Amino acid sequence: MSKREKKIVTVVFIICIVIGLFAVQGYGINIDENTEIDIARMDLKEYVRFFFGESSRLYQFMDSLIGNLMDSVEIDHGEALLYPVVAVVSVLRVIGRTDLGMLVYHMYLYIWFLVGLLAVYQTGKFLTGKPFLSAMGAAFIGLSPVMFGNAFINNKDMVMLTLTSLCIYTGIRFVETKSRKWSVLWAVTAAFCVNMRIIGLMFVGLFGGLYLFEFLVSREKKKEEFLNGLLAAVIVVIVFIAITPATWYSLTGYFQYTISSSTGFLRWNGYELYCGKLYRYLENNLPWHYFFVCYGVTTPLFFLAALIAGQVGCVYLIAAKRKEQWKFLKYMLICAIIIWLPMMVFIVKGANVTFRHFFFIYPPMVFMAVYVLNQIAKNRKAEKILYLCGILQMLWCAGLIVVGHPFESTYFNILAGKNVEEKFEYANLDYYKAALEQVLRMDSADSIVISSDNLNCYYGIKQAWEVLNPKEKNRIQVAEPETEACENADYHVYGESIFIKENMEAQLGLEELKKCDPDSKFNTSLGLDAYGKRVITIYYNR
C-alpha cells in the first residue's frame, strides 16, 4: 500500500468511526446480547480462577454475579474477541451505567466490523490490483443496510463475519509469503475463528492444507518454510486452548459437545416466519431454498447481481482458465468451499438456524464477485458500466441507511414484494429503545407507565428500559403483563413482526397464545416505520 493510499484509507476509516459514534446512539440492546456477555464473563471468571484462585476477592465477587462456565449449555459459544470490552461493560454495569456499557459494547463491535472491511479491501487488492474495485467489494458488505445495522448489535454472527474476512486475508498472505510474520498472524486469527464458531476448523484445514500441498509439490523444500508451517500449526492449537477456557476441563469433551450442537441445534424450538408460512425448527425444518431467498430479498440489487455473477463466473474460470489463473483461482476454490460446504449440509438436512448464522459466507462471496467483476472490467465499456452501477448503488445504499436509521436491519429489497411483515420475520429487541425514547420525547410527565400484553414485546420493553440513561430510566415504569398496572398503562408497545407472527401462531392453534388486538382497545397510536413497513407501534392510553 502506497503512502497516498494509506492516508486515504486512514481518513476513510476515521470518518467511518465518527459516523459510528453518531449512529450507535440509535440502537438498543439485541435479543441475545446479555446472554453472550454473560458467557464471556464466565470465561473471564475462569481466568481469574486460574491466575488468582477461588479464594481471591475478585473471584468471590465475580462468583456472586455470574454462574460457572461448565454449568452453562452455551459453552460452545466462543467469546474471546469480546473479552476486553466485556470487562469494561461489567465495570460500567456495576457502577450503574448500563446505558454507557451498551454504547461502548456496540461501538467495539462496529470497530471490529470496520477492521473486517479493511481486510476485505486488502484481499480485493491482491485479487484485482484495483483499489476502487476493492473498495466497492468492501461496500458490498459495509453499505448493505442489513449488514450496517447488524454491525452494531449482532455480537455473534457479525463478529464471525469479521474473523472470516481476517482469516482469509491472513491465510492468503500466509500461503503466498510463507513468512514467519504471516504464519503467526494467520494462526492467531484462525484460532479466534475456531473459538467463535467450530466452522473455523474448516478454515484451518483449507489454508493449512493448501500450504502443506504447495510445500510438498515444491521442488525446493526450504527448511524455513517447513518450520513456519509447523509454527502456525502449533500456535493455532496453543492460542485456541488459551482463549477457550471450556477446553481446559476436557478438550475432547468440548469438541464433541460443540460439533453435536452445531450440526443438530436443539436448544431453540420456536417458529420462523418464512414466505408467509410458519416453520418450527425441530419439527418441520425450513425448506432448502430458505438461505437463497433470505439473502436474495435482503441484499441491494446490484450487490446481489454481483454476488451471483461471482458464483457463476468462478465456476467458468475454474473450468476454463485453471492453468493461467491458478494463483488466484485456488483461493476462489477455497472461498467456494467455505460457502457451499456448510450450505449443502443444511440444504440436505433442512435448515434449523436463521440465515444470520451464515453471515460469515458474505466475505468469500464478495471475493469471488470482485474477482469476476475484474475479469469483466478488462473490457473498457463494461468497466465504465460496472463502476457507474456500483457508485449509484453505493450512494443509494448510503441514503437507505440514513433514512432507515436505526432500523437498517429490517431492510428488504423489491424482490420481497408487498406486505413484507406478513412474509418474513424481522423481529429484534433493539427497536424498543427507539420506542421508549419516542415516548419520552412526546410526553413530559415525570412518571410514565409503559407495558404490553404480549410477553415478547414486554421483554423487549424491559430490556430497553435497562439500557436507558439514569434520568430517562427514572421517568419510566414498566408494568408486567396481565396485571391491572398493564391494563392502565399510559402506553402499550408492540413490535410489528413478532406481534404478527405470534398472532398467526395463536390463530393456527400452534401455541397457547391469546391473539392480541390492540387496535380494538386503543383509539390512538403512533407507528415507527422503515422502508415502507411498520417496525413498532406505540398505543396511547391517555
Side-chain angles (χ1 to χ4, degrees), residues 127 202 206-207 210 310-311 314-315 317-319 322 325-341 364 367-368 371:
L127 295 172
M202 181 172 65
L206 288 171
F207 284 102
L210 179 59
Q311 298 301 297
C314 280
V315 171
L317 291 170
I318 290 172
R322 186 169 60 254
Q325 299 184 22
W326 181 245
K327 178 179 179 180
F328 303 109
L329 288 177
K330 62 188 177 185
Y331 299 116
M332 297 302 95
L333 187 58
I334 283 178
C335 286
I337 294 171
I338 292 173
I339 296 165
W340 288 102
L341 184 58
F367 298 145
M368 294 174 77
Y371 187 75

PDB file of all heavy atoms in Angstrom, residues 127 202 206-207 210 310-311 314-315 317-319 322 325-341 364 367-368 371:
ATOM      1  N   LEU A 127      -6.427  -9.664  -5.234  1.00  0.00           N
ATOM      2  CA  LEU A 127      -7.104 -10.398  -6.305  1.00  0.00           C
ATOM      3  C   LEU A 127      -7.203  -9.599  -7.601  1.00  0.00           C
ATOM      4  O   LEU A 127      -7.216 -10.173  -8.692  1.00  0.00           O
ATOM      5  CB  LEU A 127      -8.509 -10.813  -5.858  1.00  0.00           C
ATOM      6  CG  LEU A 127      -8.594 -11.806  -4.702  1.00  0.00           C
ATOM      7  CD1 LEU A 127     -10.034 -11.965  -4.235  1.00  0.00           C
ATOM      8  CD2 LEU A 127      -8.011 -13.161  -5.102  1.00  0.00           C
ATOM      9  N   MET A 202     -12.672 -25.609   9.562  1.00  0.00           N
ATOM     10  CA  MET A 202     -12.600 -25.756   8.113  1.00  0.00           C
ATOM     11  C   MET A 202     -11.592 -24.768   7.527  1.00  0.00           C
ATOM     12  O   MET A 202     -10.840 -25.107   6.611  1.00  0.00           O
ATOM     13  CB  MET A 202     -13.971 -25.537   7.484  1.00  0.00           C
ATOM     14  CG  MET A 202     -13.996 -25.700   5.977  1.00  0.00           C
ATOM     15  SD  MET A 202     -15.668 -25.672   5.289  1.00  0.00           S
ATOM     16  CE  MET A 202     -16.172 -23.988   5.660  1.00  0.00           C
ATOM     17  N   LEU A 206      -8.379 -25.795   5.300  1.00  0.00           N
ATOM     18  CA  LEU A 206      -8.244 -25.335   3.914  1.00  0.00           C
ATOM     19  C   LEU A 206      -6.920 -24.613   3.687  1.00  0.00           C
ATOM     20  O   LEU A 206      -6.175 -24.940   2.754  1.00  0.00           O
ATOM     21  CB  LEU A 206      -9.426 -24.424   3.555  1.00  0.00           C
ATOM     22  CG  LEU A 206     -10.782 -25.123   3.389  1.00  0.00           C
ATOM     23  CD1 LEU A 206     -11.893 -24.096   3.251  1.00  0.00           C
ATOM     24  CD2 LEU A 206     -10.753 -26.047   2.177  1.00  0.00           C
ATOM     25  N   PHE A 207      -6.614 -23.643   4.514  1.00  0.00           N
ATOM     26  CA  PHE A 207      -5.373 -22.877   4.306  1.00  0.00           C
ATOM     27  C   PHE A 207      -4.153 -23.666   4.748  1.00  0.00           C
ATOM     28  O   PHE A 207      -3.101 -23.612   4.102  1.00  0.00           O
ATOM     29  CB  PHE A 207      -5.458 -21.526   5.030  1.00  0.00           C
ATOM     30  CG  PHE A 207      -6.311 -20.529   4.317  1.00  0.00           C
ATOM     31  CD1 PHE A 207      -7.595 -20.271   4.744  1.00  0.00           C
ATOM     32  CD2 PHE A 207      -5.840 -19.856   3.197  1.00  0.00           C
ATOM     33  CE1 PHE A 207      -8.399 -19.354   4.079  1.00  0.00           C
ATOM     34  CE2 PHE A 207      -6.629 -18.943   2.522  1.00  0.00           C
ATOM     35  CZ  PHE A 207      -7.925 -18.692   2.965  1.00  0.00           C
ATOM     36  N   LEU A 210      -3.582 -26.193   1.989  1.00  0.00           N
ATOM     37  CA  LEU A 210      -3.000 -25.587   0.787  1.00  0.00           C
ATOM     38  C   LEU A 210      -1.521 -25.294   0.991  1.00  0.00           C
ATOM     39  O   LEU A 210      -0.694 -25.535   0.096  1.00  0.00           O
ATOM     40  CB  LEU A 210      -3.750 -24.302   0.439  1.00  0.00           C
ATOM     41  CG  LEU A 210      -3.245 -23.537  -0.795  1.00  0.00           C
ATOM     42  CD1 LEU A 210      -3.300 -24.404  -2.051  1.00  0.00           C
ATOM     43  CD2 LEU A 210      -4.055 -22.249  -0.998  1.00  0.00           C
ATOM     44  N   GLY A 310     -20.408 -13.631  -9.352  1.00  0.00           N
ATOM     45  CA  GLY A 310     -19.188 -14.196  -8.796  1.00  0.00           C
ATOM     46  C   GLY A 310     -19.237 -15.704  -8.703  1.00  0.00           C
ATOM     47  O   GLY A 310     -18.258 -16.399  -9.021  1.00  0.00           O
ATOM     48  N   GLN A 311     -20.384 -16.240  -8.286  1.00  0.00           N
ATOM     49  CA  GLN A 311     -20.518 -17.693  -8.176  1.00  0.00           C
ATOM     50  C   GLN A 311     -20.466 -18.355  -9.552  1.00  0.00           C
ATOM     51  O   GLN A 311     -19.722 -19.318  -9.770  1.00  0.00           O
ATOM     52  CB  GLN A 311     -21.844 -18.041  -7.486  1.00  0.00           C
ATOM     53  CG  GLN A 311     -21.975 -17.523  -6.064  1.00  0.00           C
ATOM     54  CD  GLN A 311     -20.879 -18.042  -5.158  1.00  0.00           C
ATOM     55  OE1 GLN A 311     -20.763 -19.237  -4.926  1.00  0.00           O
ATOM     56  NE2 GLN A 311     -20.054 -17.145  -4.645  1.00  0.00           N
ATOM     57  N   CYS A 314     -16.926 -17.779 -11.386  1.00  0.00           N
ATOM     58  CA  CYS A 314     -15.807 -18.566 -10.864  1.00  0.00           C
ATOM     59  C   CYS A 314     -15.893 -20.027 -11.300  1.00  0.00           C
ATOM     60  O   CYS A 314     -14.862 -20.677 -11.512  1.00  0.00           O
ATOM     61  CB  CYS A 314     -15.744 -18.448  -9.338  1.00  0.00           C
ATOM     62  SG  CYS A 314     -14.952 -16.923  -8.785  1.00  0.00           S
ATOM     63  N   VAL A 315     -17.095 -20.551 -11.427  1.00  0.00           N
ATOM     64  CA  VAL A 315     -17.244 -21.915 -11.945  1.00  0.00           C
ATOM     65  C   VAL A 315     -16.663 -21.991 -13.360  1.00  0.00           C
ATOM     66  O   VAL A 315     -15.909 -22.920 -13.697  1.00  0.00           O
ATOM     67  CB  VAL A 315     -18.731 -22.342 -11.954  1.00  0.00           C
ATOM     68  CG1 VAL A 315     -18.901 -23.662 -12.704  1.00  0.00           C
ATOM     69  CG2 VAL A 315     -19.247 -22.474 -10.525  1.00  0.00           C
ATOM     70  N   LEU A 317     -14.437 -19.894 -14.763  1.00  0.00           N
ATOM     71  CA  LEU A 317     -12.996 -19.637 -14.763  1.00  0.00           C
ATOM     72  C   LEU A 317     -12.202 -20.842 -14.264  1.00  0.00           C
ATOM     73  O   LEU A 317     -11.140 -21.167 -14.799  1.00  0.00           O
ATOM     74  CB  LEU A 317     -12.689 -18.413 -13.900  1.00  0.00           C
ATOM     75  CG  LEU A 317     -13.171 -17.063 -14.464  1.00  0.00           C
ATOM     76  CD1 LEU A 317     -13.024 -15.963 -13.418  1.00  0.00           C
ATOM     77  CD2 LEU A 317     -12.387 -16.701 -15.726  1.00  0.00           C
ATOM     78  N   ILE A 318     -12.703 -21.512 -13.229  1.00  0.00           N
ATOM     79  CA  ILE A 318     -12.012 -22.696 -12.716  1.00  0.00           C
ATOM     80  C   ILE A 318     -12.004 -23.801 -13.763  1.00  0.00           C
ATOM     81  O   ILE A 318     -11.015 -24.533 -13.916  1.00  0.00           O
ATOM     82  CB  ILE A 318     -12.670 -23.173 -11.401  1.00  0.00           C
ATOM     83  CG1 ILE A 318     -12.387 -22.164 -10.274  1.00  0.00           C
ATOM     84  CG2 ILE A 318     -12.160 -24.559 -11.001  1.00  0.00           C
ATOM     85  CD1 ILE A 318     -13.144 -22.426  -8.991  1.00  0.00           C
ATOM     86  N   ALA A 319     -13.105 -23.892 -14.529  1.00  0.00           N
ATOM     87  CA  ALA A 319     -13.183 -24.926 -15.564  1.00  0.00           C
ATOM     88  C   ALA A 319     -12.358 -24.584 -16.801  1.00  0.00           C
ATOM     89  O   ALA A 319     -11.706 -25.456 -17.389  1.00  0.00           O
ATOM     90  CB  ALA A 319     -14.647 -25.144 -15.965  1.00  0.00           C
ATOM     91  N   ARG A 322      -8.126 -22.541 -15.525  1.00  0.00           N
ATOM     92  CA  ARG A 322      -7.500 -23.006 -14.282  1.00  0.00           C
ATOM     93  C   ARG A 322      -5.983 -22.851 -14.317  1.00  0.00           C
ATOM     94  O   ARG A 322      -5.370 -22.392 -13.346  1.00  0.00           O
ATOM     95  CB  ARG A 322      -7.888 -24.466 -14.039  1.00  0.00           C
ATOM     96  CG  ARG A 322      -7.413 -25.032 -12.712  1.00  0.00           C
ATOM     97  CD  ARG A 322      -8.056 -26.373 -12.409  1.00  0.00           C
ATOM     98  NE  ARG A 322      -7.749 -27.380 -13.435  1.00  0.00           N
ATOM     99  CZ  ARG A 322      -8.612 -27.796 -14.343  1.00  0.00           C
ATOM    100  NH1 ARG A 322      -9.836 -27.293 -14.391  1.00  0.00           N
ATOM    101  NH2 ARG A 322      -8.275 -28.726 -15.229  1.00  0.00           N
ATOM    102  N   GLN A 325      -4.760 -18.942 -14.429  1.00  0.00           N
ATOM    103  CA  GLN A 325      -5.098 -18.083 -13.288  1.00  0.00           C
ATOM    104  C   GLN A 325      -5.091 -18.844 -11.959  1.00  0.00           C
ATOM    105  O   GLN A 325      -5.728 -18.423 -10.998  1.00  0.00           O
ATOM    106  CB  GLN A 325      -6.477 -17.450 -13.514  1.00  0.00           C
ATOM    107  CG  GLN A 325      -6.559 -16.581 -14.755  1.00  0.00           C
ATOM    108  CD  GLN A 325      -7.906 -15.888 -14.902  1.00  0.00           C
ATOM    109  OE1 GLN A 325      -8.644 -15.707 -13.935  1.00  0.00           O
ATOM    110  NE2 GLN A 325      -8.235 -15.476 -16.109  1.00  0.00           N
ATOM    111  N   TRP A 326      -4.367 -19.954 -11.909  1.00  0.00           N
ATOM    112  CA  TRP A 326      -4.400 -20.778 -10.701  1.00  0.00           C
ATOM    113  C   TRP A 326      -3.930 -20.033  -9.451  1.00  0.00           C
ATOM    114  O   TRP A 326      -4.411 -20.294  -8.335  1.00  0.00           O
ATOM    115  CB  TRP A 326      -3.572 -22.039 -10.887  1.00  0.00           C
ATOM    116  CG  TRP A 326      -3.580 -22.935  -9.675  1.00  0.00           C
ATOM    117  CD1 TRP A 326      -2.543 -23.259  -8.869  1.00  0.00           C
ATOM    118  CD2 TRP A 326      -4.730 -23.595  -9.117  1.00  0.00           C
ATOM    119  NE1 TRP A 326      -2.941 -24.079  -7.855  1.00  0.00           N
ATOM    120  CE2 TRP A 326      -4.296 -24.313  -7.984  1.00  0.00           C
ATOM    121  CE3 TRP A 326      -6.070 -23.655  -9.477  1.00  0.00           C
ATOM    122  CZ2 TRP A 326      -5.154 -25.073  -7.212  1.00  0.00           C
ATOM    123  CZ3 TRP A 326      -6.938 -24.414  -8.695  1.00  0.00           C
ATOM    124  CH2 TRP A 326      -6.472 -25.112  -7.577  1.00  0.00           C
ATOM    125  N   LYS A 327      -3.024 -19.078  -9.604  1.00  0.00           N
ATOM    126  CA  LYS A 327      -2.532 -18.317  -8.460  1.00  0.00           C
ATOM    127  C   LYS A 327      -3.679 -17.690  -7.679  1.00  0.00           C
ATOM    128  O   LYS A 327      -3.634 -17.596  -6.445  1.00  0.00           O
ATOM    129  CB  LYS A 327      -1.570 -17.224  -8.922  1.00  0.00           C
ATOM    130  CG  LYS A 327      -1.066 -16.359  -7.769  1.00  0.00           C
ATOM    131  CD  LYS A 327      -0.094 -15.288  -8.218  1.00  0.00           C
ATOM    132  CE  LYS A 327       0.358 -14.445  -7.043  1.00  0.00           C
ATOM    133  NZ  LYS A 327       1.315 -13.380  -7.422  1.00  0.00           N
ATOM    134  N   PHE A 328      -4.716 -17.252  -8.400  1.00  0.00           N
ATOM    135  CA  PHE A 328      -5.870 -16.625  -7.754  1.00  0.00           C
ATOM    136  C   PHE A 328      -7.045 -17.589  -7.611  1.00  0.00           C
ATOM    137  O   PHE A 328      -7.775 -17.547  -6.620  1.00  0.00           O
ATOM    138  CB  PHE A 328      -6.311 -15.389  -8.554  1.00  0.00           C
ATOM    139  CG  PHE A 328      -5.223 -14.377  -8.727  1.00  0.00           C
ATOM    140  CD1 PHE A 328      -4.628 -14.172  -9.958  1.00  0.00           C
ATOM    141  CD2 PHE A 328      -4.780 -13.617  -7.647  1.00  0.00           C
ATOM    142  CE1 PHE A 328      -3.632 -13.241 -10.113  1.00  0.00           C
ATOM    143  CE2 PHE A 328      -3.778 -12.678  -7.795  1.00  0.00           C
ATOM    144  CZ  PHE A 328      -3.182 -12.486  -9.038  1.00  0.00           C
ATOM    145  N   LEU A 329      -7.218 -18.449  -8.598  1.00  0.00           N
ATOM    146  CA  LEU A 329      -8.383 -19.337  -8.590  1.00  0.00           C
ATOM    147  C   LEU A 329      -8.340 -20.366  -7.455  1.00  0.00           C
ATOM    148  O   LEU A 329      -9.382 -20.848  -7.014  1.00  0.00           O
ATOM    149  CB  LEU A 329      -8.512 -20.048  -9.939  1.00  0.00           C
ATOM    150  CG  LEU A 329      -8.980 -19.166 -11.107  1.00  0.00           C
ATOM    151  CD1 LEU A 329      -9.001 -19.964 -12.396  1.00  0.00           C
ATOM    152  CD2 LEU A 329     -10.356 -18.573 -10.823  1.00  0.00           C
ATOM    153  N   LYS A 330      -7.147 -20.677  -6.980  1.00  0.00           N
ATOM    154  CA  LYS A 330      -7.078 -21.615  -5.846  1.00  0.00           C
ATOM    155  C   LYS A 330      -7.763 -21.012  -4.615  1.00  0.00           C
ATOM    156  O   LYS A 330      -8.385 -21.738  -3.819  1.00  0.00           O
ATOM    157  CB  LYS A 330      -5.628 -21.985  -5.540  1.00  0.00           C
ATOM    158  CG  LYS A 330      -4.739 -20.823  -5.127  1.00  0.00           C
ATOM    159  CD  LYS A 330      -3.283 -21.240  -5.042  1.00  0.00           C
ATOM    160  CE  LYS A 330      -2.371 -20.066  -4.694  1.00  0.00           C
ATOM    161  NZ  LYS A 330      -0.942 -20.439  -4.733  1.00  0.00           N
ATOM    162  N   TYR A 331      -7.684 -19.682  -4.492  1.00  0.00           N
ATOM    163  CA  TYR A 331      -8.360 -19.021  -3.368  1.00  0.00           C
ATOM    164  C   TYR A 331      -9.860 -18.899  -3.628  1.00  0.00           C
ATOM    165  O   TYR A 331     -10.657 -18.914  -2.685  1.00  0.00           O
ATOM    166  CB  TYR A 331      -7.730 -17.652  -3.108  1.00  0.00           C
ATOM    167  CG  TYR A 331      -6.278 -17.759  -2.733  1.00  0.00           C
ATOM    168  CD1 TYR A 331      -5.286 -17.220  -3.544  1.00  0.00           C
ATOM    169  CD2 TYR A 331      -5.884 -18.421  -1.575  1.00  0.00           C
ATOM    170  CE1 TYR A 331      -3.942 -17.338  -3.222  1.00  0.00           C
ATOM    171  CE2 TYR A 331      -4.544 -18.548  -1.236  1.00  0.00           C
ATOM    172  CZ  TYR A 331      -3.575 -18.008  -2.073  1.00  0.00           C
ATOM    173  OH  TYR A 331      -2.250 -18.140  -1.743  1.00  0.00           O
ATOM    174  N   MET A 332     -10.229 -18.774  -4.883  1.00  0.00           N
ATOM    175  CA  MET A 332     -11.655 -18.778  -5.218  1.00  0.00           C
ATOM    176  C   MET A 332     -12.271 -20.148  -4.899  1.00  0.00           C
ATOM    177  O   MET A 332     -13.410 -20.235  -4.449  1.00  0.00           O
ATOM    178  CB  MET A 332     -11.855 -18.461  -6.704  1.00  0.00           C
ATOM    179  CG  MET A 332     -11.392 -17.071  -7.129  1.00  0.00           C
ATOM    180  SD  MET A 332     -12.200 -15.721  -6.228  1.00  0.00           S
ATOM    181  CE  MET A 332     -11.018 -15.391  -4.910  1.00  0.00           C
ATOM    182  N   LEU A 333     -11.495 -21.189  -5.114  1.00  0.00           N
ATOM    183  CA  LEU A 333     -11.960 -22.542  -4.784  1.00  0.00           C
ATOM    184  C   LEU A 333     -12.150 -22.686  -3.279  1.00  0.00           C
ATOM    185  O   LEU A 333     -13.141 -23.270  -2.816  1.00  0.00           O
ATOM    186  CB  LEU A 333     -10.961 -23.571  -5.303  1.00  0.00           C
ATOM    187  CG  LEU A 333     -11.369 -25.047  -5.186  1.00  0.00           C
ATOM    188  CD1 LEU A 333     -12.675 -25.305  -5.935  1.00  0.00           C
ATOM    189  CD2 LEU A 333     -10.255 -25.941  -5.717  1.00  0.00           C
ATOM    190  N   ILE A 334     -11.211 -22.138  -2.505  1.00  0.00           N
ATOM    191  CA  ILE A 334     -11.332 -22.159  -1.047  1.00  0.00           C
ATOM    192  C   ILE A 334     -12.577 -21.388  -0.615  1.00  0.00           C
ATOM    193  O   ILE A 334     -13.345 -21.834   0.248  1.00  0.00           O
ATOM    194  CB  ILE A 334     -10.065 -21.574  -0.391  1.00  0.00           C
ATOM    195  CG1 ILE A 334      -8.935 -22.602  -0.431  1.00  0.00           C
ATOM    196  CG2 ILE A 334     -10.333 -21.153   1.053  1.00  0.00           C
ATOM    197  CD1 ILE A 334      -7.628 -22.112   0.150  1.00  0.00           C
ATOM    198  N   CYS A 335     -12.795 -20.208  -1.229  1.00  0.00           N
ATOM    199  CA  CYS A 335     -13.992 -19.410  -0.909  1.00  0.00           C
ATOM    200  C   CYS A 335     -15.260 -20.200  -1.219  1.00  0.00           C
ATOM    201  O   CYS A 335     -16.222 -20.183  -0.443  1.00  0.00           O
ATOM    202  CB  CYS A 335     -13.981 -18.103  -1.705  1.00  0.00           C
ATOM    203  SG  CYS A 335     -12.787 -16.884  -1.107  1.00  0.00           S
ATOM    204  N   ALA A 336     -15.264 -20.900  -2.356  1.00  0.00           N
ATOM    205  CA  ALA A 336     -16.437 -21.685  -2.740  1.00  0.00           C
ATOM    206  C   ALA A 336     -16.715 -22.789  -1.721  1.00  0.00           C
ATOM    207  O   ALA A 336     -17.884 -23.052  -1.372  1.00  0.00           O
ATOM    208  CB  ALA A 336     -16.236 -22.284  -4.128  1.00  0.00           C
ATOM    209  N   ILE A 337     -15.664 -23.419  -1.220  1.00  0.00           N
ATOM    210  CA  ILE A 337     -15.837 -24.478  -0.213  1.00  0.00           C
ATOM    211  C   ILE A 337     -16.389 -23.899   1.085  1.00  0.00           C
ATOM    212  O   ILE A 337     -17.291 -24.473   1.709  1.00  0.00           O
ATOM    213  CB  ILE A 337     -14.505 -25.212   0.040  1.00  0.00           C
ATOM    214  CG1 ILE A 337     -14.081 -25.966  -1.223  1.00  0.00           C
ATOM    215  CG2 ILE A 337     -14.639 -26.176   1.217  1.00  0.00           C
ATOM    216  CD1 ILE A 337     -12.677 -26.547  -1.147  1.00  0.00           C
ATOM    217  N   ILE A 338     -15.864 -22.729   1.490  1.00  0.00           N
ATOM    218  CA  ILE A 338     -16.344 -22.075   2.711  1.00  0.00           C
ATOM    219  C   ILE A 338     -17.831 -21.755   2.604  1.00  0.00           C
ATOM    220  O   ILE A 338     -18.582 -21.863   3.579  1.00  0.00           O
ATOM    221  CB  ILE A 338     -15.531 -20.789   2.989  1.00  0.00           C
ATOM    222  CG1 ILE A 338     -14.093 -21.145   3.373  1.00  0.00           C
ATOM    223  CG2 ILE A 338     -16.186 -19.965   4.097  1.00  0.00           C
ATOM    224  CD1 ILE A 338     -13.179 -19.947   3.504  1.00  0.00           C
ATOM    225  N   ILE A 339     -18.261 -21.378   1.407  1.00  0.00           N
ATOM    226  CA  ILE A 339     -19.673 -21.034   1.191  1.00  0.00           C
ATOM    227  C   ILE A 339     -20.541 -22.276   1.100  1.00  0.00           C
ATOM    228  O   ILE A 339     -21.536 -22.427   1.817  1.00  0.00           O
ATOM    229  CB  ILE A 339     -19.838 -20.202  -0.105  1.00  0.00           C
ATOM    230  CG1 ILE A 339     -19.108 -18.865   0.015  1.00  0.00           C
ATOM    231  CG2 ILE A 339     -21.322 -19.980  -0.422  1.00  0.00           C
ATOM    232  CD1 ILE A 339     -18.907 -18.161  -1.310  1.00  0.00           C
ATOM    233  N   TRP A 340     -20.153 -23.188   0.222  1.00  0.00           N
ATOM    234  CA  TRP A 340     -21.081 -24.239  -0.187  1.00  0.00           C
ATOM    235  C   TRP A 340     -21.059 -25.490   0.679  1.00  0.00           C
ATOM    236  O   TRP A 340     -22.072 -26.191   0.766  1.00  0.00           O
ATOM    237  CB  TRP A 340     -20.843 -24.609  -1.656  1.00  0.00           C
ATOM    238  CG  TRP A 340     -21.331 -23.523  -2.544  1.00  0.00           C
ATOM    239  CD1 TRP A 340     -20.581 -22.571  -3.187  1.00  0.00           C
ATOM    240  CD2 TRP A 340     -22.694 -23.242  -2.867  1.00  0.00           C
ATOM    241  NE1 TRP A 340     -21.395 -21.716  -3.889  1.00  0.00           N
ATOM    242  CE2 TRP A 340     -22.698 -22.103  -3.715  1.00  0.00           C
ATOM    243  CE3 TRP A 340     -23.909 -23.835  -2.537  1.00  0.00           C
ATOM    244  CZ2 TRP A 340     -23.870 -21.565  -4.225  1.00  0.00           C
ATOM    245  CZ3 TRP A 340     -25.082 -23.290  -3.032  1.00  0.00           C
ATOM    246  CH2 TRP A 340     -25.052 -22.173  -3.876  1.00  0.00           C
ATOM    247  N   LEU A 341     -19.953 -25.783   1.342  1.00  0.00           N
ATOM    248  CA  LEU A 341     -19.945 -26.981   2.183  1.00  0.00           C
ATOM    249  C   LEU A 341     -20.942 -26.870   3.333  1.00  0.00           C
ATOM    250  O   LEU A 341     -21.809 -27.740   3.493  1.00  0.00           O
ATOM    251  CB  LEU A 341     -18.529 -27.263   2.697  1.00  0.00           C
ATOM    252  CG  LEU A 341     -18.377 -28.542   3.521  1.00  0.00           C
ATOM    253  CD1 LEU A 341     -18.812 -29.763   2.722  1.00  0.00           C
ATOM    254  CD2 LEU A 341     -16.933 -28.704   3.994  1.00  0.00           C
ATOM    255  N   PRO A 364     -16.340 -14.392   1.594  1.00  0.00           N
ATOM    256  CA  PRO A 364     -15.913 -15.188   0.438  1.00  0.00           C
ATOM    257  C   PRO A 364     -16.778 -14.953  -0.799  1.00  0.00           C
ATOM    258  O   PRO A 364     -16.267 -15.005  -1.930  1.00  0.00           O
ATOM    259  CB  PRO A 364     -16.021 -16.640   0.929  1.00  0.00           C
ATOM    260  CG  PRO A 364     -16.826 -16.605   2.174  1.00  0.00           C
ATOM    261  CD  PRO A 364     -16.626 -15.260   2.761  1.00  0.00           C
ATOM    262  N   PHE A 367     -15.372 -11.807  -2.352  1.00  0.00           N
ATOM    263  CA  PHE A 367     -14.084 -12.035  -3.017  1.00  0.00           C
ATOM    264  C   PHE A 367     -14.290 -12.664  -4.396  1.00  0.00           C
ATOM    265  O   PHE A 367     -13.636 -12.290  -5.371  1.00  0.00           O
ATOM    266  CB  PHE A 367     -13.189 -12.933  -2.160  1.00  0.00           C
ATOM    267  CG  PHE A 367     -12.851 -12.329  -0.818  1.00  0.00           C
ATOM    268  CD1 PHE A 367     -12.715 -13.132   0.312  1.00  0.00           C
ATOM    269  CD2 PHE A 367     -12.681 -10.961  -0.677  1.00  0.00           C
ATOM    270  CE1 PHE A 367     -12.412 -12.582   1.543  1.00  0.00           C
ATOM    271  CE2 PHE A 367     -12.372 -10.393   0.553  1.00  0.00           C
ATOM    272  CZ  PHE A 367     -12.250 -11.207   1.663  1.00  0.00           C
ATOM    273  N   MET A 368     -15.215 -13.606  -4.483  1.00  0.00           N
ATOM    274  CA  MET A 368     -15.486 -14.240  -5.762  1.00  0.00           C
ATOM    275  C   MET A 368     -16.127 -13.241  -6.728  1.00  0.00           C
ATOM    276  O   MET A 368     -15.818 -13.220  -7.929  1.00  0.00           O
ATOM    277  CB  MET A 368     -16.403 -15.453  -5.562  1.00  0.00           C
ATOM    278  CG  MET A 368     -15.747 -16.569  -4.766  1.00  0.00           C
ATOM    279  SD  MET A 368     -16.856 -17.942  -4.350  1.00  0.00           S
ATOM    280  CE  MET A 368     -16.912 -18.804  -5.925  1.00  0.00           C
ATOM    281  N   TYR A 371     -13.450 -10.724  -7.971  1.00  0.00           N
ATOM    282  CA  TYR A 371     -12.537 -11.355  -8.933  1.00  0.00           C
ATOM    283  C   TYR A 371     -13.183 -11.463 -10.312  1.00  0.00           C
ATOM    284  O   TYR A 371     -12.555 -11.155 -11.332  1.00  0.00           O
ATOM    285  CB  TYR A 371     -12.132 -12.746  -8.439  1.00  0.00           C
ATOM    286  CG  TYR A 371     -11.058 -13.377  -9.292  1.00  0.00           C
ATOM    287  CD1 TYR A 371      -9.739 -12.933  -9.202  1.00  0.00           C
ATOM    288  CD2 TYR A 371     -11.348 -14.389 -10.189  1.00  0.00           C
ATOM    289  CE1 TYR A 371      -8.749 -13.494  -9.990  1.00  0.00           C
ATOM    290  CE2 TYR A 371     -10.364 -14.958 -10.980  1.00  0.00           C
ATOM    291  CZ  TYR A 371      -9.068 -14.496 -10.873  1.00  0.00           C
ATOM    292  OH  TYR A 371      -8.080 -15.037 -11.670  1.00  0.00           O
TER     293      TYR A 371
END
